[in-house]
Amino acid sequence: MKLLVTGAAGKVGQAFLPAFLNEQRFGGWEVVALCHNRAIATDDRRVSVVHGSMADEETVASALRGVSHVLHLAAVKESPDLAIDVALKGLYLLLEQFRLSSSGRQFLLLSGDCVVGHIFQDYAAPITEASQRRAYPGIYALTKVLEEVMLEQFGIQHGLKHTILRAPWIMEKDDFRYAFEMGEAQFGGPPWETLIDSETLAKMRDVGVFPAMRDANGGFLKRSFIHVDDLVEAILLSIDNPDACGELFNIAMNEPADYGRISSLVEKNGWGSPVEIKTPFHSNWLDNTKARKVLGWTPAIDLEGLVERAWNYRREDNDPRIVWYPG
């Protein structure tokens, strides 16, 4: 068997590749990593690298040669020129050539909860795989909707065996702590300037507070997250799994993260003083029941574990913080 991984040098790809290579079940597999402009840190002889753009037909053909499974991780955020190449033209080329391949067995796509609008859209019940796609504004969310639909249609029109894993905000290392930083170099989420007046924000930055956000109804905001290690485990369980073919799975923590609980944990451990912030966002719950039942997957890292890992993580000089995508 041979697995093609796009975006292998990204956040998920860097965590996935060593986990896959160390998994006994995939001991005889080869891996092809398709990379545009990043390097792959591995000396494993089973891994070969193809450099080039997914929007180039010859590059795609070279990367797909002899491939039985594809894991499509590559993504671009809020860069329309690149997003169209990766999410639309690139994905179409991959799918069209893969469906015609005699060796093709399964195509896996990593999608995101942006397709259901996560905190931007209001849902009266937990968000399941049957919930309507209601993306928030922006090219990234739009392209993820189009990716899901394109892959589903290749399954319907051509019988292509596929699996979609829909993840919320993916955390690693100290990401979760950094997501709440009030500084100007903000990591993800709407800019603080859109929620807090400039004078108040300046004072918060001087003191160093923890933003305990409230939702549109006045309760503490609740939203779903996933640690990259738990996501990788779900991917491993989906590869070459007949029960996963033709299916969409929500891959999230068992319960959404409650910003009230987060602020209590941060304050309890002396990591910051919470300050409540009103927002127009909606509390939502990305339901992972289907993944737990069909894949036999269970996330190992709960909210307490996510907080503990993030606030206790200390970066070495050779471990710089990387913001993988702009926006």
Side-chain angles (χ1 to χ4, degrees), residues 24 49 59 67 85 87 93 108 114 129 137 147 160 200 234 248 300 305:
Q24 187 174 0
V49 180
T59 298
V67 164
D85 277 351
L93 289 175
L108 298 96
C114 58
E129 292 80 1
E147 283 181 352
L160 188 147
T200 303
L248 163 66

Side-chain angles (χ1 to χ4, degrees), residues 60 64 90-100 107 147 150-151 154 160:
V60 171
L64 280 173
L91 179 59
Y92 175 79
L93 289 175
L94 273 174
L95 290 172
E96 182 65 11
Q97 294 193 33
F98 187 69
R99 79 170 180 89
L100 296 172
F107 195 107
E147 283 181 352
M150 191 188 306
L151 184 51
F154 265 78
L160 188 147

Side-chain angles (χ1 to χ4, degrees), residues 184-291:
E184 295 181 1
Q186 188 174 352
F187 170 58
W192 295 118
E193 289 83 356
T194 65
L195 301 173
I196 309 167
D197 68 82
S198 57
E199 184 177 346
T200 303
L201 180 57
K203 291 179 180 178
M204 287 182 173
R205 285 172 170 167
D206 285 341
V207 176
V209 301
F210 178 85
M213 289 190 275
R214 294 274 184 175
D215 65 20
N217 293 323
F220 281 112
L221 185 68
K222 298 179 180 66
R223 67 172 296 180
S224 295
F225 295 91
I226 189 70
H227 192 278
V228 68
D229 291 346
D230 283 331
L231 174 57
V232 165
E233 180 62 22
I235 296 172
L236 294 174
L237 289 170
S238 300
I239 295 175
D240 208 38
N241 182 348
D243 292 334
C245 288
E247 300 294 343
L248 163 66
F249 298 100
N250 288 336
I251 306 299
M253 294 166 62
N254 288 338
E255 296 182 1
D258 183 313
Y259 280 45
R261 286 182 61 200
I262 301 170
S263 61
S264 295
L265 289 168
V266 170
E267 185 175 31
K268 176 183 176 182
N269 287 282
W271 294 325
S273 299
V275 173
E276 296 183 10
I277 298 174
K278 295 180 180 179
T279 79
F281 305 137
H282 301 282
S283 290
N284 281 317
W285 184 321
L286 196 65
D287 191 310
N288 68 6
T289 301
K290 180 178 177 181

Side-chain angles (χ1 to χ4, degrees), residues 9-55:
K11 176 192 285 189
V12 179
Q14 287 191 6
F16 168 79
L17 195 57
F20 179 84
L21 294 171
N22 289 328
E23 182 69 35
Q24 187 174 0
R25 182 164 71 94
F26 304 115
W29 289 46
E30 299 175 61
V31 177
V32 179
L34 176 56
C35 301
H36 189 203
N37 54 11
R38 290 177 180 155
I40 296 293
T42 181
D43 56 0
D44 195 300
R45 295 181 180 179
R46 292 173 290 168
V47 180
S48 59
V49 180
V50 173
H51 290 284
S53 170
M54 284 177 51

